[in-house]
């Protein structure tokens, strides 16, 4: 019984920890399927976290904070588009610039507005998202297996967790079952083919980036207005990069990217559990090593196990129509 | 008098300082096959891209069926019944045929009924024109000939009445060209109008009823095909008279200097691409390799020039074994022994396109005197040499400081040729010497190769252009699937015979 509840809580935290990764990976899929590299997931997630926390604090409603975060992230995506799609700048450089800008900007703005470098005030219960307890969760808890599944794994999450996992089939449907998706994939593979089909390549890429901005805002809001009750410095902690790795690991496909996100989430959940635990025969593993586990896994998986990840053919290349 | 379906008046287009189209006037009659011929860079593709809405003209007007229209994007052109098959196919390789065709014209937000209907319509179209295309096949699995049919089908499905084809035969075998021409003729019989852009005179004479000639961005003439000849068209294209036949002296065959014994070579994916090949070349002889692209010619040339490993067999130069699977000489050592190589892929292997012309002219010899002394380049000497050699090879513009990628294909090829021929090699390996090269330069390049042969070099010439093989070679071998499937003295051999060998039929 003890074992079962351990497993349940491990799965529960895997789902929670994977949430921002899933949003970011889905955001990445839109940008990269359209042929635009998005290294700036990290920066945008951080910015979303900051804006959501500040917005909720001043407006008193976490949904308004989220809305604000969406607006700001879409603007950042448009900035990336302006530099790399319209002006055909180097996409990686544009992303790095955005990431650096945001690390500095969030810290500085927090200092200017709240007097503490990189820290926003703690949000009260009205200003943040709370865990959602599904109906009858308590009543059903004692039913073996199903009760655990329902009450301890499915119930008791923040709204973002549910939204994240709902977004995956939605993204799959958009990318593979709609004409928008067909054009999106085509523009990342062969933009000339799209242009000669009478579709504006630039508009398509901007649309993809706009969706990218919306999705990444959810990841940031989840961090600062749901699992935490404030923003702190560099709180995205590499999750944007991790999501990018998951997306590549998942070969730019929503389903496999989800699996990769869950795998990273799981190792993270596991490392939290393993801290300070004596393992038989091995003894206590140093905390630092355990904490590095998800990152080590990323490197190992990307380096060896995935095989060749075939990127969209035109990725990273600005579309130049006239010679 | 029939009214023209397409009428262009005073079209002007420039890219930066280069005026690609100057005051172009053109009338194309309904239900005809109209040829537009001109050298590379004459502005044919630019003009047609304007008609297709891909580029916007700086000035001028376009009328379709007598009505003036404004083409802001390909969509406008497609709606007005213009379709275009580009030189480089506009297909998404990992999409299916169906997906490629409906792209942009899906007719519904979420795939469902319309997709089904499109499929039925396309199947009907395929039947009408005998296309024999599987709509669910992925493009990357299709041969070049089939990809082209997909492009034609795409235009027809989108309702094209005028079909523009930009250099459609460059990548096809003679048999595939026949098939294409059959399709085009049947389209014409259906009442469609076809515009054929090409630099090949023979296609114009074969297929078209009217022809317009472009030179350096200007339209220099229109005529009915039956009223003109190849020679006349060539003269209009180039602006001076051109020798279409290569003048070749009787062969003065010397001793065998280059020999390949039972050679096998693998490609990067570990597939054997050259299988047990034997050949000999004598001094003063041109040996032509005919074959469809991808039948091992590339790997053979690479192995012979020392950039690809020999799997088994050996290569002999002047009776001395220079390469087998255990030892092989690198290109540098081969050069010193008198072997030069003009690679097939000019952009990728022949040149560094971001370098200036003078750098490419001496590259490979740059560390030898007089171009450098004690590891320092001698710029004066290099500039002098470059000026001299560019004049000699008629490289235009004659400016050694220009970045190589700004030269036209023909002039880039002249740069490579001058570098490789300058050392008077004993053996010359040449791959696709005139691919993407205009007719004036072709004449020049061919003449240089013949000169080398007459001076006693042994030349191995691989080309997908059968005409080139037939007009230059003394002896011809045909490669198919990595093997030599036929060898002929170049007397009374026809392109039909070679075509069958190339297709692996005979």
């Amino acid at each position: 019984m003890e074992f079962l509840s351990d497993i349940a809580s491990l799965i529960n935290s895997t789902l929670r920890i994977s949430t921002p990764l899933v949003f970011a990976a889905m955001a990445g899929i839109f940008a990269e399927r359209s042929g635009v590299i998005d290294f700036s997931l990290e920066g945008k997630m951080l910015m979303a976290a900051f804006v959501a926390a500040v917005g909720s604090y001043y407006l008193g409603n976490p949904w308004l904070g989220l809305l604000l975060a969406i607006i700001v992230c879409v603007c950042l995506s448009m900035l990336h588009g302006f530099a790399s799609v319209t002006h055909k700048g180097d996409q990686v450089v544009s992303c790095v610039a955005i990431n650096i800008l945001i690390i500095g900007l969030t810290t500085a703005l927090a200092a200017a507005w709240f007097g503490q470098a990189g820290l926003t005030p703690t949000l009260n219960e009205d200003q943040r998202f709370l865990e959602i307890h599904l109906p009858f969760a308590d009543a059903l808890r004692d039913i073996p297996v199903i009760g655990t599944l329902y009450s301890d794994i499915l119930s008791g999450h923040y709204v973002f967790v549910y939204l994240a996992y709902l977004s995956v089939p939605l993204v799959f449907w958009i990318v593979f079952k709609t004409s928008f998706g067909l054009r999106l994939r085509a523009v990342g593979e062969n933009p000339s083919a799209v242009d000669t089909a009478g579709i504006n390549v630039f508009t398509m890429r901007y649309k993809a980036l706009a969706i990218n901005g919306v999705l990444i805002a959810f990841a940031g809001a989840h961090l600062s207005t749901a699992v935490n009750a404030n923003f702190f410095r560099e709180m995205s902690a590499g999750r944007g990069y991790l999501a990018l790795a998951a997306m590549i690991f998942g070969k730019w496909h929503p389903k496999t990217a989800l699996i990769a996100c869950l795998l990273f989430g799981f190792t993270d959940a596991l490392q939290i559990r393993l801290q300070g635990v004596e393992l038989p025969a091995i003894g206590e593993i140093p905390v630092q090593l355990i904490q590095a586990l998800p990152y080590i896994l990323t490197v190992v998986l990307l380096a060896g196990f995935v095989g060749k990840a075939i990127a969209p053919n035109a990725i990273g290349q600005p579309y130049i129509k006239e010679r | 008098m029939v009214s023209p379906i397409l009428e262009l008046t005073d079209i002007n287009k420039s890219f930066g300082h280069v005026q690609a189209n100057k005051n172009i006037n053109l009338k194309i009659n309904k239900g005809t096959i109209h040829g537009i011929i001109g050298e590379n860079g004459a502005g044919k593709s630019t003009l047609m891209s304007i008609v297709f809405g891909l580029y916007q003209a700086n000035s001028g007007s376009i009328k379709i069926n007598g009505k003036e229209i404004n083409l802001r994007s390909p969509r406008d052109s497609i709606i007005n019944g213009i379709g275009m098959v580009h030189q480089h196919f506009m297909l998404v390789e990992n999409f299916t045929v169906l997906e490629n065709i409906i792209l942009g014209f899906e007719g519904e937000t979420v795939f469902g009924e319309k997709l089904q209907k499109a499929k039925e319509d396309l199947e009907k179209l395929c039947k009408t024109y005998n296309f024999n295309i599987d709509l669910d096949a992925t493009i990357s699995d299709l041969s070049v000939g089939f990809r082209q049919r997909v492009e034609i089908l795409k235009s027809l499905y989108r309702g094209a009445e005028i079909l523009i084809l930009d250099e459609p035969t460059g990548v096809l075998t003679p048999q595939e060209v026949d098939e294409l021409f059959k399709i085009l003729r049947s389209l014409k019989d259906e009442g469609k109008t076809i515009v054929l852009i090409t630099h090949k005179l023979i296609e114009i004479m074969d297929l078209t009823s009217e022809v317009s000639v472009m030179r350096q961005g200007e339209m220099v003439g229109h005529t009915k095909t039956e009223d003109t000849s190849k020679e006349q068209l060539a003269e209009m294209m180039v602006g001076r008279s051109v020798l279409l036949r290569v003048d070749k002296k009787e062969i003065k065959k010397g001793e065998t200097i280059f020999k390949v014994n039972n050679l096998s070579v693998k490609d990067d994916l570990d597939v054997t691409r050259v299988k047990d090949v034997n050949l000999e070349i004598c001094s003063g002889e041109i040996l032509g390799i005919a074959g469809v692209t991808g039948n091992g010619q590339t790997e053979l040339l690479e192995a012979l020039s020392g950039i690809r490993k020999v799997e088994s067999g050996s290569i002999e130069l002047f009776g001395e074994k220079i390469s087998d699977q255990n030892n092989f000489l690198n290109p540098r050592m081969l050069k010193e022994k008198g072997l030069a190589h003009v690679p097939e892929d000019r952009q990728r292997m022949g040149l560094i396109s971001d370098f200036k012309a003078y750098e490419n002219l001496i590259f490979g010899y740059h560390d030898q005197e007089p171009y450098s002394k004690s590891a320092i380049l001698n710029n004066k000497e290099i500039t002098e040499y470059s000026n001299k050699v560019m004049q000699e090879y008629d490289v235009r513009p004659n400016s050694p400081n220009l970045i190589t990628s700004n030269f036209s294909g023909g002039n880039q090829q002249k740069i490579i040729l001058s570098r490789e021929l300058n050392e008077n090699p004993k053996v010359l390996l040449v791959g696709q010497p005139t691919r993407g090269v205009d007719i004036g330069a072709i004449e020049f390049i061919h003449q240089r190769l013949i000169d080398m042969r007459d001076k006693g070099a042994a030349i191995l010439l691989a080309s997908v252009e059968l005409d080139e093989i037939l007009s230059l070679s003394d002896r011809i071998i045909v490669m198919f699937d990595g093997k030599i499937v036929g060898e002929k003295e170049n007397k009374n051999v026809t392109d039909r015979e070679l075509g069958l060998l190339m297709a692996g039929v005979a």
Side-chain angles (χ1 to χ4, degrees):
Chain A
M1 204 61 217
E2 169 102 13
F3 177 69
L4 196 66
S5 82
D6 269 357
I7 297 284
S9 91
L10 195 61
I11 296 175
N12 185 297
S13 33
T14 299
L15 291 177
R16 180 169 40 79
I17 293 168
S18 303
T19 295
L21 299 181
V22 172
F23 279 125
M26 296 303 128
I29 284 174
F30 274 100
E32 302 225 333
R33 280 277 185 175
S34 83
V36 182
I37 294 175
D38 195 5
F39 240 59
S40 63
L41 290 171
E42 176 73 12
K44 281 184 280 197
M45 194 190 299
L46 190 64
M47 192 63 180
F50 177 76
V51 174
V54 173
S56 303
Y57 176 72
Y58 280 123
L59 302 171
N61 183 332
W63 291 100
L64 292 177
L66 173 66
L67 185 68
L68 221 55
I70 289 174
I71 293 169
V72 170
C73 280
V74 170
C75 289
L76 284 173
S77 282
M78 295 298 106
L79 180 68
H80 180 37
F82 186 67
S84 64
V85 176
T86 304
H87 288 290
K88 311 180 195 329
D90 189 289
Q91 298 175 357
V92 174
V93 171
S94 161
C95 290
V96 170
I98 289 175
N99 287 345
I100 293 172
L101 170 79
I102 285 165
I103 291 174
L105 198 64
T106 47
T107 317
L109 286 179
W113 291 343
F114 308 108
Q116 279 173 299
L119 210 61
T120 65
T122 308
L123 303 172
N124 65 33
E125 291 210 341
D126 290 337
Q127 295 164 332
R128 61 177 288 215
F129 291 98
L130 298 175
E131 290 169 347
I132 296 170
H133 291 277
L134 297 179
F136 315 116
D138 289 327
L140 295 174
R141 174 154 287 134
D142 295 332
I143 303 172
V145 186
I146 296 174
T148 313
L149 186 70
Y150 185 76
S151 310
D152 290 340
I153 296 178
L154 286 183
S155 177
H157 288 292
Y158 300 103
V159 62
F160 293 111
V161 179
Y162 301 108
L163 288 177
Y165 297 103
L166 287 177
S167 78
V168 177
L170 184 69
V171 170
F172 175 81
W173 184 76
I174 292 174
V175 171
F176 292 101
K177 302 288 175 193
T178 68
S179 59
F180 175 80
L182 187 75
R183 293 171 182 197
L184 177 82
R185 284 180 287 139
V187 87
E189 288 289 339
N190 185 354
S192 307
V194 174
D195 197 5
T196 51
I199 306 161
N200 191 315
V201 172
F202 303 110
T203 315
M204 269 313 294
R205 290 193 167 163
Y206 272 109
K207 280 184 190 168
L209 283 172
I211 299 173
N212 161 284
V214 173
L215 284 168
I216 194 70
F218 281 80
H222 174 72
L223 292 179
S224 68
T225 60
V227 281
N228 296 292
N230 68 341
F231 170 88
F232 53 86
R233 236 184 111 131
E234 289 169 39
M235 78 182 302
S236 51
R239 285 183 184 86
Y241 299 125
L242 213 53
L244 201 70
M247 180 198 67
I248 294 169
F249 178 34
K251 299 187 172 161
W252 290 267
H253 200 288
K255 284 191 211 161
T256 30
L258 169 69
I259 293 170
C261 290
L262 287 171
L263 189 66
F264 289 146
F266 176 73
T267 52
D268 206 15
L270 194 66
Q271 63 95 354
I272 297 167
R273 293 241 103 198
L274 284 180
Q275 283 181 27
V277 175
E278 290 268 347
L279 285 184
I282 305 169
E284 194 180 320
I285 303 170
V287 177
Q288 291 83 353
L289 185 67
I290 294 177
Q291 282 176 338
L293 208 61
Y295 304 95
I296 295 171
L297 189 75
T298 310
V299 173
V300 171
L301 282 177
L302 284 179
F305 284 91
V306 192
K308 197 165 183 237
I310 298 167
N313 203 12
I315 198 160
Q317 299 163 10
Y319 180 58
I320 297 164
K321 186 165 153 180
E322 297 194 349
R323 53 184 175 168
Chain B
M1 181 70 199
V2 273
S3 69
I5 188 167
L6 178 69
E7 190 176 356
L8 309 181
T9 320
D10 290 328
I11 298 283
N12 278 292
K13 174 73 183 171
S14 45
F15 296 102
H17 296 298
V18 184
Q19 189 154 20
N21 287 155
K22 287 175 227 167
N23 294 321
I24 303 282
N25 290 294
L26 178 66
K27 278 188 191 140
I28 288 172
N29 293 322
K30 189 169 161 47
T32 58
I33 301 185
H34 192 117
I36 296 182
I37 194 162
E39 297 191 276
N40 290 308
K44 302 168 296 201
S45 296
T46 304
L47 184 66
M48 287 304 124
S49 294
I50 290 172
V51 174
F52 189 58
L54 208 53
Y55 299 162
Q56 277 69 49
N58 301 118
S59 67
S61 80
I62 300 171
K63 280 185 195 161
I64 289 180
N65 286 322
K67 211 177 88 206
E68 183 155 348
I69 49 166
N70 184 12
L71 302 172
R72 283 152 310 182
S73 86
R75 194 162 206 95
D76 293 340
S77 300
I78 293 166
I79 289 166
N80 282 295
I82 300 171
M84 183 159 176
V85 176
H86 296 261
Q87 193 174 1
H88 304 283
F89 300 146
M90 296 298 177
L91 296 170
V92 181
E93 292 215 356
N94 58 3
F95 277 18
T96 64
V97 172
L98 181 66
E99 285 174 324
N100 265 293
I101 290 175
I102 60 166
L103 179 67
F105 294 83
E106 302 87 351
E108 54 192 357
T109 316
V110 180
F111 292 129
E113 264 173 54
K114 290 271 172 63
L115 187 71
Q116 209 49 46
K117 173 132 193 326
K119 209 168 168 179
E120 284 161 21
D121 292 348
L122 282 166
E123 268 159 9
K124 255 183 245 160
L125 266 178
C126 279
K127 222 172 253 168
T128 314
Y129 294 105
N130 225 344
F131 272 0
N132 199 14
I133 296 172
D134 175 10
L135 294 175
D136 294 320
T138 306
I139 297 296
S140 53
D141 294 338
L142 297 181
S143 72
V144 177
F146 269 95
R147 291 183 198 194
Q148 192 171 50
R149 283 188 204 182
V150 174
E151 285 279 29
I152 295 173
L153 185 62
K154 186 164 88 176
S155 290
L156 293 176
Y157 174 72
R158 291 170 183 176
E161 284 302 315
I162 306 169
L163 187 63
I164 304 166
L165 295 109
D166 190 359
E167 303 279 2
T169 60
V171 285
L172 305 179
T173 63
Q175 277 73 12
E176 283 175 322
V177 172
D178 283 351
E179 290 283 313
L180 172 70
F181 284 8
K182 229 183 270 168
I183 291 171
L184 295 183
R185 286 198 185 97
S186 76
L187 286 172
K188 189 191 92 172
D189 293 342
E190 294 274 313
K192 310 270 185 208
T193 308
I194 295 179
V195 182
L196 179 73
I197 307 176
T198 182
H199 66 272
K200 292 184 190 164
L201 295 161
I202 189 155
E203 291 172 5
I204 293 287
M205 302 312 290
D206 258 17
L207 200 62
T208 64
S209 53
E210 280 160 61
V211 54
S212 303
V213 186
M214 289 186 76
R215 184 173 74 227
Q216 292 174 356
E218 287 177 273
M219 198 55 94
V220 291
H222 303 277
T223 168
K224 284 212 183 312
T225 312
E226 54 191 25
D227 299 338
T228 187
S229 66
K230 281 204 270 185
E231 286 72 18
Q232 206 183 351
L233 286 175
E235 198 172 328
M236 280 162 91
M237 273 164 73
V238 184
R240 63 182 164 83
S241 65
V242 183
L243 273 179
L244 291 178
R245 282 260 136 218
V246 183
D247 259 344
K248 208 167 65 166
K249 280 187 233 154
E250 197 57 35
I251 181 168
K252 275 192 291 182
K253 210 162 168 175
E255 53 183 318
T256 303
I257 54 179
F258 192 67
K259 220 173 142 188
V260 174
N261 309 311
N262 306 93
L263 185 76
S264 292
V265 182
K266 284 183 176 178
D267 67 6
D268 295 337
L269 300 170
D270 222 27
V271 180
T272 306
R273 301 305 297 268
V274 176
K275 298 169 185 165
D276 205 20
V277 163
N278 287 292
L279 56 88
E280 298 182 355
I281 315 172
C282 302
S283 130
E285 181 190 41
I286 297 182
L287 175 64
I289 307 180
V292 179
T293 313
N295 276 292
Q297 305 97 311
T298 306
E299 289 78 9
L300 176 64
L301 277 187
E302 286 178 0
L304 298 185
S305 58
I307 39 186
R308 187 173 287 282
K309 199 175 149 251
V310 171
E311 206 58 43
S312 65
S314 65
I315 303 167
E316 287 175 31
L317 186 64
F318 296 113
E320 176 197 354
K321 197 195 234 179
I322 53 168
S323 288
D324 58 24
Q325 69 265 45
N326 302 317
N327 303 301
F328 64 98
L329 298 182
N330 65 28
R332 173 122 219 179
M333 292 143 105
L334 286 171
K335 242 176 208 171
E336 278 160 16
K337 291 200 177 286
L339 185 141
H341 178 212
V342 177
E344 281 190 331
D345 191 337
R346 186 161 61 228
Q347 313 278 354
R348 205 166 59 82
M349 299 175 73
L351 293 164
I352 301 175
S353 23
D354 292 337
F355 273 20
K356 291 177 176 171
Y358 76 84
E359 292 170 311
N360 273 310
L361 279 166
I362 57 152
F363 201 65
Y365 305 99
H366 55 280
D367 55 351
Q368 295 168 16
E369 291 198 33
Y371 311 124
S372 71
K373 218 171 198 174
S374 353
I376 293 167
L377 290 175
N378 183 346
N379 280 323
K380 189 166 154 272
E381 195 67 46
I382 294 170
T383 313
E384 252 167 47
Y385 167 76
S386 302
N387 276 322
K388 193 189 89 191
V389 84
M390 284 175 88
Q391 210 142 37
E392 203 180 309
Y393 278 80
D394 191 28
V395 181
R396 286 180 236 178
N398 186 348
S399 33
N401 279 313
L402 195 65
I403 300 289
T404 310
S405 58
N406 292 338
F407 288 91
S408 73
N411 285 307
Q412 291 182 7
Q413 191 70 306
K414 289 181 192 168
I415 291 176
I416 299 176
L417 220 54
S418 75
R419 179 183 68 206
E420 298 303 325
L421 299 191
N422 195 44
E423 301 286 304
N424 278 319
K426 303 285 181 296
V427 178
L428 179 62
L429 308 170
V430 194
Q432 317 298 346
T434 56
R435 179 185 276 169
V437 168
D438 47 59
I439 196 167
I442 289 176
E443 185 194 13
F444 183 89
I445 290 167
H446 283 174
Q447 201 49 53
R448 287 285 158 164
L449 293 176
I450 296 286
D451 291 348
M452 284 301 292
R453 156 193 181 259
D454 293 344
K455 275 200 262 173
I459 300 178
L460 182 66
L461 167 75
S463 173
V464 291
E465 299 282 351
L466 265 188
D467 289 344
E468 181 164 83
I469 295 280
L470 283 165
S471 62
L472 291 179
S473 313
D474 298 304
R475 208 153 39 94
I476 301 169
I477 56 175
V478 182
M479 276 187 88
F480 175 75
D481 193 25
K483 293 196 246 331
I484 293 180
V485 292
E487 178 173 342
K488 308 234 170 216
E489 287 295 324
N490 191 5
K491 283 174 194 151
N492 310 321
V493 63
T494 65
D495 56 349
R496 295 290 104 175
E497 273 174 71
L498 292 178
L500 289 174
L501 286 168
M502 282 163 67
V505 183

